[in-house]
Amino acid sequence: MLLSSCTHHHHHYRQHNAAPRRTHAGRVAFGAWPTPRLAHGSHPARNGTAPARASNNKQQQPEGQQQQKPKQEMDMVERMVSFFFPKALSDPAPMGLKRINFDELPDQYCEMDERAAPVPGDERDPLVVAVRPLLARTQLQGRPLKCVYDAENDGWNPAAFHVKVDGLGAAVVVAGTSGGAVLGGYNPEGWIGLGEDRASNGAFLFTWPHWGKDKNKGDVRSGRTQSREGKGEGPFKLAKVGGPNLAVIDNPGSGPQFGADGLSIPLKPRGKERLAKSKLGTYYSRLPDGGRSLFGPGDDPKRAELEWLKVYVADARGVEWKLEGITWKSTVVE
């Protein structure tokens, strides 16, 4: 049902991280809800090299002699490995160890160009239809989603939030403001409530700042929208910037928090449980027009009151957790 995000001045920025050739810390525009469109224009090859341009003055090769392709120069590490292990670089599984293909691993970067295809059952929940295209190359792509936390039913407080979401793996937070914006974020690492700062290059925020509200049903949950197609009203997908650290802050005494200030929903203190804060640019990309808030024009740009808040996870058998160093990592188990 949507997917758009625009680059400021039509530029893409690359984020430096463990897999720099895969990370886009920029903003790309997709088509407006309900039929998302990919951003126009070609992009460099995924291995970081641009496709070669055809030359108009090719040199003719002697008859019977084939044109030789230029050999790619090896870096220092590759030269060292090839010196001691001549066949290692050509062997797809050297010494029985399979090479890692980052294209096969989800959440290695924030995918800004592709959109995820619908999954059977999505049509039962308008919010899932809306968010689904944003989940390309994530753990949740191709998996049915289920709502595990609804603040209206489960409670606007940190304890209720963590009881419902902890240990369930990758999750999507979706909320609606009193000013009519629909916003949220994707947490690839999930929550476990142990006070860890979760690092990830695959985390991102998103917003429809001009979504509007249906007078009869109240908001996007009705399956209808006042957003006008082709007006650049979202969604805007905002990638993690400044490296993977502090993508999500997993505080057992607070609600969802992306970065130190990207999107914070503390769910406290009493009487202010519905207040959310947003400041873009430090941990997550700014809006295409340079805007520094996820909220809409009908909201205070620094803080907004939420009318509803939901969290979705994979509708799967469970989640397998492994300790990597000092950080717990989750994998959805089918």
Side-chain angles (χ1 to χ4, degrees), residues 3-245:
L3 191 47
S4 86
S5 154
C6 302
T7 56
H8 186 44
H9 298 301
H10 304 286
H11 287 290
H12 291 277
Y13 301 92
R14 289 190 179 275
Q15 174 186 346
H16 299 286
N17 49 59
R21 67 184 187 280
R22 303 297 304 179
T23 301
H24 297 266
R27 302 167 291 279
V28 178
F30 297 84
W33 181 89
T35 305
R37 295 178 290 107
L38 293 180
H40 296 291
S42 58
H43 298 275
R46 289 300 187 183
N47 60 5
T49 60
R53 295 183 178 178
S55 175
N56 294 328
N57 53 354
K58 294 182 180 178
Q59 297 181 355
Q60 297 295 329
Q61 297 294 326
E63 187 175 353
Q65 181 178 348
Q66 295 182 352
Q67 184 177 359
Q68 294 183 352
K69 295 181 179 180
K71 204 169 185 179
Q72 187 174 3
E73 186 178 353
M74 294 187 294
D75 60 26
M76 184 179 65
V77 175
E78 291 174 327
R79 289 197 298 270
M80 184 179 299
V81 171
S82 63
F83 178 80
F84 290 102
F85 307 98
K87 297 183 179 180
L89 295 179
S90 60
D91 189 350
M95 294 179 288
L97 300 176
K98 184 179 179 181
R99 297 183 187 276
I100 296 177
N101 183 356
F102 284 96
D103 287 335
E104 298 176 354
L105 300 177
D107 297 327
Q108 297 302 306
Y109 62 98
C110 177
E111 175 57 56
M112 302 299 293
D113 300 329
E114 298 180 20
R115 72 175 188 264
V119 173
D122 285 357
E123 67 279 359
R124 293 193 291 266
D125 189 333
L127 281 179
V128 174
V129 175
V131 172
R132 173 65 68 185
L134 299 170
L135 300 178
R137 295 187 181 272
T138 71
Q139 297 178 56
L140 301 182
Q141 180 177 6
R143 291 191 169 99
L145 300 181
K146 63 180 178 181
C147 179
V148 293
Y149 172 72
D150 184 341
E152 289 290 276
N153 298 326
D154 301 319
W156 289 84
N157 61 81
F161 170 77
H162 284 281
V163 164
K164 292 293 184 177
V165 305
D166 283 0
L168 298 182
V172 180
V173 176
V174 193
T177 71
S178 58
V182 175
L183 54 91
Y186 170 65
N187 175 8
E189 302 298 332
W191 290 272
I192 52 178
L194 296 181
E196 294 183 335
D197 296 335
R198 319 290 284 172
S200 175
N201 287 317
F204 60 83
L205 298 176
F206 55 86
T207 179
W208 291 264
H210 302 276
W211 193 296
K213 297 165 60 179
D214 185 283
K215 293 182 179 179
N216 297 320
K217 297 295 184 178
D219 50 49
V220 59
R221 294 171 293 178
S222 68
R224 298 195 297 275
T225 175
Q226 293 181 2
S227 291
R228 297 183 300 279
E229 200 167 333
K231 297 298 182 181
E233 295 183 351
F236 299 112
K237 187 175 182 180
L238 310 175
K240 181 73 175 67
V241 296
N245 293 333

